[in-house]
Amino acid sequence: ALTQAPASAAPLPATYSAAAHSAIVAGDAALLGEELAGLAVGHSRSTVTSTSAAAGSTATSANVGGSLVGTDVVLDEESASAPPSANPGAQTLLPVPLAPVATVGVVTGDVEAAWAGINACVPATNGVRVLSDARTTLAGITLAELPVLGSLAEVTASQTRTRTFLQDDGAGGSDVVSRATTTVGDIRLLGGQVTVDVTSPVVLQARSDGSDGSADYVNPPTVVATVGGEEITIPMNGNPE
């Protein structure tokens, strides 16, 4: 359990900043002669800063993130920045051509940014004042179709979302929060001989009241691999006992 001291009210303008980013699938190896290290498919990023020089918020959803070196991928992103507040609606991003290494499904981005100025707060909904929100959805991805075996790996529809917001504390002040939430689809390896189930959503959050802060999983993942009918729980360090 995480504990925090109560936040204290402070007059505006107040100095704060927050950032969160996440990706659905990240490559870290070379496969079939193609270099995937550093390439991420389905990327979200949300930021906010209250400093007077560059005050505002930004939300970005992209088809890919990380390094594009050695690929034919063209970066495509939807972005919203405030001020003024903006909510342009969801859009389909450019395809991610990784054949023959991978077949990547449709990537969709949806972003929103809000800012009321350094001397005001955006309206609250149930005590939450959203400043930036980026949601990226991947229809699915299949990694390397191999003879006889089938696909090396397959991940069904998944989503990642980043948000920065102010959480009212009930005492006239607010905590600053950055949060990344990822919902992982079904994972099948080696043509389905191995399946991996990740409890969703996985939520990672950083929070501060200006004096004390925390950063940890709000909803930590449980990962279970099934091989030949046997379930193997994989701990967070990646080394099953």
Side-chain angles (χ1 to χ4, degrees):
L2 300 175
T3 60
Q4 284 187 216
S8 58
L12 293 174
T15 300
Y16 63 87
S17 63
H21 73 95
S22 60
I24 298 173
V25 178
D28 61 1
L31 184 66
L32 300 181
E34 297 288 340
E35 182 63 49
L36 296 180
L39 177 66
V41 177
H43 186 258
S44 292
R45 180 175 178 84
S46 300
T47 64
V48 65
T49 180
S50 70
T51 57
S52 57
S57 60
T58 301
T60 303
S61 174
N63 59 344
V64 292
S67 174
L68 304 182
V69 176
T71 73
D72 296 324
V73 178
V74 177
L75 173 66
D76 186 25
E77 59 186 23
E78 182 185 19
S79 183
S81 296
S85 297
N87 184 5
Q91 65 174 262
T92 300
L93 304 175
L94 285 177
V96 182
L98 293 178
V101 176
T103 301
V104 182
V106 174
V107 182
T108 304
D110 192 5
V111 295
E112 180 180 0
W115 185 249
I118 61 175
N119 292 305
C121 291
V122 300
T125 300
N126 297 323
V128 175
R129 304 173 187 274
V130 177
L131 300 169
S132 57
D133 189 342
R135 187 198 315 256
T136 306
T137 302
L138 172 65
I141 184 170
T142 301
L143 184 64
E145 287 285 351
L146 302 177
V148 181
L149 181 61
S151 61
L152 183 60
E154 180 183 3
V155 182
T156 60
S158 302
Q159 175 184 277
T160 192
R161 183 182 190 182
T162 55
R163 305 174 84 201
T164 63
F165 56 91
L166 301 178
Q167 176 77 60
D168 292 352
D169 62 10
S174 298
D175 290 359
V176 182
V177 183
S178 58
R179 177 184 293 171
T181 303
T182 302
T183 300
V184 183
D186 295 334
I187 302 172
R188 294 185 283 269
L189 309 176
L190 306 176
Q193 296 182 50
V194 179
T195 61
V196 180
D197 179 68
V198 181
T199 56
S200 295
V202 179
V203 181
L204 183 62
Q205 176 176 287
R207 185 183 190 112
S208 176
D209 64 7
S211 299
D212 296 318
S214 62
D216 207 343
Y217 284 106
V218 174
N219 192 26
T222 299
V223 183
V224 178
T226 302
V227 185
E230 180 183 357
E231 293 187 350
I232 304 171
T233 300
I234 301 176
M236 294 294 290
N237 63 12
N239 297 315
E241 295 180 357

